Amino acid sequence: MESYFFLYWYMKNILSALFVLLLVAKSIAQQPEFLQTIEVCNSSVFGGLRPRITLVHDSIPVISFNRAGADPAVFVSRYSGGAFSAPLRISSPGTLPLSSTVNSAEIKSAGDTVFLLYAEHTAEASISIRRSLDGGLSFPDSFCVASYPSNHVEFPELTLLSGGNPVVAYIFSDLNMINTEIRAAYSTNGGAVFTSSTGITGLLPGQPCECCPIAVEKAGNSVFIGYRNNISNEREFYLLQSNDGAQSFTGFVAIDDYEWIINTCPTNGIDLLPMGDSLHTAFASKPGGTVQIFHRGVHHTGTNIGTVGLNENSPPAQNMSYSVLAGANDTLFLAWQDTRSGSTDVYFSFRTPGQSGFSQAFAANDPVAGVQRTIDMAYANGLLHIVYTDLTNQKVIYRKARLTNTTSAEEIPGPNFQLTYINQEQSIRISNDKERIKNVLIYTISGSVSQEIKGNNQQEINISTKELIPGIYLAKLLTESGREVVLKFVLTQP
């Protein structure tokens, strides 16, 4: 079947042989548009506790989650071909990985290397790391960060330095979980061997909260560990700072001003996200009658603390918890779990360039009855990847979204993107002489995604149109420099 291609371009002249379009999107409204909703696993079988997500090569979701009970375990599932793989058990049978809504495996990736970190209490308390070199398909490498015969360890977190070398931080305590400290270790050979764990003490009065997750991230030339301190039940958040690659931590930054006094365990941790010259933090505190989520930005040198921004919601939320951050190129997402109007769900807000505060709260989960909890996110190439647990329906759910009309762009003077229809191949060719193409999304005129194509940072890409029905389409290009360009084309059948 022969197809014909028409490209519309409003200028003084119409080129008949080569179709050139300079069409860019101007920000008008900012709304999330959900593109996919996929079940990752049945949590009644695989647990689905505290799912975490990483993106291999910024595009392939790999999700980890834990199972508690008589046979606790750590699992991983990888996206491929429109679905997630059957959960792969990572922890060995007979071992006892810590598994709860606040204590599960952590996952990070760099290139094809994926690290999975978790605490376990079998013969000894230990921090274990598993490594995949094939993008999360298998995890044959198993290493021990640290082990202790008569202590307790929990809440391990990791970040990756240059060369993919991991830094690990965790909470260390006695068996009664009374005397706590933060310990850190680092590797210089990709995680195969770690330095002896260093206890970080003496910088602040009090001690780390025994039941609150921590976070660790590299920002600029510093490594930061975020944690909640406990000074006679006053529990506030601080950043510990290292300027020598986590060999030592010699400074701290106070980021929480709310002086929350609580005699029981808050079980709320902190999340960190480096972006540009800032380290973004998200945490829960209780300045009034309800627990609320806050955001604060810190310069990567540890100075110039930004303003705390309360995430306002309507209707009012109660007991907000489990905050996480994601973002890139000055687009920032903040997500959390809360209860409002009698329902527990997961929500997110966003802040884009030029936006002074966060947007209204949007439900991240499908509108279903019951309890949705423990959200995590990753963001790359203009796409937001979300994972959470649907407790009522016993599922781990993955969703993909984008923000509509969020990028302000300008025309590039001179020769630019050229879009040509190759009739004999039933494909379109997009090329230009200035920008490299990172990826392309093909949308129908109604806004649905028909195709997603990797550009591999080339200046020319061919896209098959054999599976497209006649109609109007938009090709949205993301370039290596971060520019977004939209080309309009029409496929017709005589």
Side-chain angles (χ1 to χ4, degrees), residues 179-190:
N179 299 306
T180 61
E181 66 181 35
I182 293 176
R183 294 200 169 186
Y186 63 92
S187 172
T188 58
N189 59 359

Side-chain angles (χ1 to χ4, degrees), residues 167 184 186 195 198 223 242-249:
V167 171
Y186 63 92
T195 60
T198 302
V223 175
S242 169
N243 294 317
D244 57 11
Q247 296 180 53
S248 63
F249 288 80

Side-chain angles (χ1 to χ4, degrees), residues 314-379:
S314 179
Q318 298 175 344
N319 299 320
M320 300 170 74
S321 58
Y322 307 134
S323 55
V324 294
L325 293 163
N329 300 324
D330 291 327
T331 296
L332 180 65
F333 294 87
L334 171 58
W336 66 93
Q337 167 190 316
D338 75 42
T339 301
R340 64 183 74 185
S341 303
S343 178
T344 299
D345 293 287
V346 286
Y347 294 86
F348 69 93
S349 293
F350 56 86
R351 191 183 73 186
T352 56
Q355 188 175 336
S356 59
F358 282 91
S359 71
Q360 70 182 81
F362 294 91
N365 53 274
D366 253 341
V368 296
V371 176
Q372 329 297 319
R373 66 181 187 185
T374 54
I375 186 173
D376 195 26
M377 303 182 297
Y379 178 75

Side-chain angles (χ1 to χ4, degrees), residues 149-327:
S150 302
N151 293 93
H152 182 80
V153 293
E154 59 185 343
F155 305 126
E157 293 286 334
L158 81 155
T159 189
L160 301 177
L161 304 185
S162 59
N165 289 317
V167 171
V168 172
Y170 55 95
I171 295 289
F172 170 87
S173 69
D174 54 29
L175 292 177
N176 295 320
M177 298 174 61
I178 295 176
N179 299 306
T180 61
E181 66 181 35
I182 293 176
R183 294 200 169 186
Y186 63 92
S187 172
T188 58
N189 59 359
V193 177
F194 281 83
T195 60
S196 298
S197 294
T198 302
I200 306 168
T201 59
L203 292 179
L204 288 166
Q207 62 184 31
C209 175
E210 72 280 4
C211 55
C212 300
I214 65 174
V216 58
E217 279 292 352
K218 179 183 182 294
N221 295 320
S222 297
V223 175
F224 292 92
I225 298 175
Y227 78 104
R228 189 192 293 273
N229 201 28
N230 181 1
I231 306 175
S232 300
N233 290 323
E234 180 181 290
R235 303 181 190 243
E236 295 182 319
F237 282 102
Y238 292 85
L239 296 176
L240 301 174
Q241 184 176 4
S242 169
N243 294 317
D244 57 11
Q247 296 180 53
S248 63
F249 288 80
T250 56
F252 69 89
V253 182
I255 59 171
D256 179 357
D257 304 323
Y258 294 104
E259 299 178 351
W260 186 11
I261 303 294
I262 177 172
N263 297 325
T264 58
C265 194
T267 66
N268 259 307
I270 186 172
D271 199 27
L272 307 178
L273 177 71
M275 191 162 60
D277 61 0
S278 297
L279 178 70
H280 295 272
T281 73
F283 56 91
S285 193
K286 191 176 181 180
T290 61
V291 179
Q292 297 170 312
I293 297 297
F294 295 87
H295 161 265
R296 195 163 206 170
V298 179
H299 192 267
H300 64 72
T301 60
T303 60
N304 300 327
I305 301 173
T307 303
V308 173
L310 173 62
N311 204 345
E312 298 178 357
N313 307 285
S314 179
Q318 298 175 344
N319 299 320
M320 300 170 74
S321 58
Y322 307 134
S323 55
V324 294
L325 293 163

Side-chain angles (χ1 to χ4, degrees), residues 6 24 29 48 72 96 103 111 125 129 140 164 185 221 231 239 257 287 322 331 348 362 364 366 390 420 446 478 492:
F6 297 90
V24 293
L96 302 174
N103 219 332
I129 196 164
N221 295 320
I231 306 175
L239 296 176
D257 304 323
Y322 307 134
T331 296
F348 69 93
F362 294 91
D366 253 341
D390 178 353
T420 309
S446 62
L478 178 67
T492 65

